[in-house]
Amino acid sequence: MSDVTSAGAAADDLPAPAEGMVLTHFLTVSDVSRSRAFYADVLGGRVVLAENPCIIKAANSWIIMNPGGGPTDDKPDVVLRPPDDPNTVSSFLNVRVADIHDFYATAKAKGAEFLTPPIDRRAELRCYMRDPDGYLIEVGQATGLLKGILARSDAET
């Protein structure tokens, strides 16, 4: 049996490795409850902590969310805020699925907004959706990559 934190989350549900490290994805969101619902409902994540910070365990990783804010003593001169322009992206969440067509249909039925349906890119089937703050999320299923076929380049589109 695992220890239980004061917030009610089991210690083994938190991104706190006993050794080594784990990678998580942090998002600055405008509305924690709206984003929490999206990541729990659409990605099938489990809410570990509801807020301060919100932690969602999704598949084999965690998404950590908090509203934006000004500098803190450990990050002076740094301001966190959700994306201003959803068409300019410097990083994004990448979700790999076993059946992209099933994921696409299920997520769309739950209200997810996709840029396109899944497209065959030779190495993978791939599409993109946005979360409530406009963050881009790539959803992909490895296909040709499993046979050594690499993704087609932009020059080949």
Side-chain angles (χ1 to χ4, degrees):
M1 183 97 181
S2 64
D3 295 336
V4 176
T5 67
S6 60
D12 58 352
D13 286 337
L14 297 170
E19 59 184 66
M21 70 174 179
V22 296
L23 291 178
T24 67
H25 198 77
F26 179 91
L27 297 174
T28 302
V29 299
S30 59
D31 182 333
V32 173
S33 63
R34 179 182 68 169
S35 294
R36 181 177 56 237
F38 174 86
Y39 284 96
D41 295 345
V42 173
L43 291 186
R46 187 169 51 79
V47 178
V48 176
L49 291 175
E51 57 186 36
N52 203 24
C54 174
I55 300 177
I56 304 283
K57 188 171 186 179
N60 60 346
S61 192
W62 292 266
I63 299 169
I64 301 172
M65 294 176 270
N66 253 340
T72 58
D73 57 356
D74 58 342
K75 55 177 177 37
D77 304 321
V78 176
V79 175
L80 299 177
R81 66 176 183 228
D84 290 329
D85 177 5
N87 295 320
T88 301
V89 177
S90 62
S91 78
F92 55 87
L93 184 62
N94 183 297
V95 177
R96 308 307 287 177
V97 297
D99 184 338
I100 197 166
H101 295 294
D102 179 59
F103 179 89
Y104 176 81
T106 302
K108 197 162 176 72
K110 292 178 178 180
E113 295 180 23
F114 287 85
L115 279 61
T116 67
I119 293 175
D120 189 343
R121 301 275 303 165
R122 289 190 342 187
E124 65 184 343
L125 299 172
R126 173 174 96 189
C127 58
Y128 292 85
M129 65 180 179
R130 293 201 184 274
D131 84 349
D133 282 293
Y135 283 106
L136 192 64
I137 302 170
E138 176 184 313
V139 180
Q141 175 185 339
T143 54
L145 189 60
L146 299 174
K147 301 172 189 163
I149 301 170
L150 302 179
R152 69 175 190 237
S153 69
D154 288 339
E156 298 174 289
T157 58

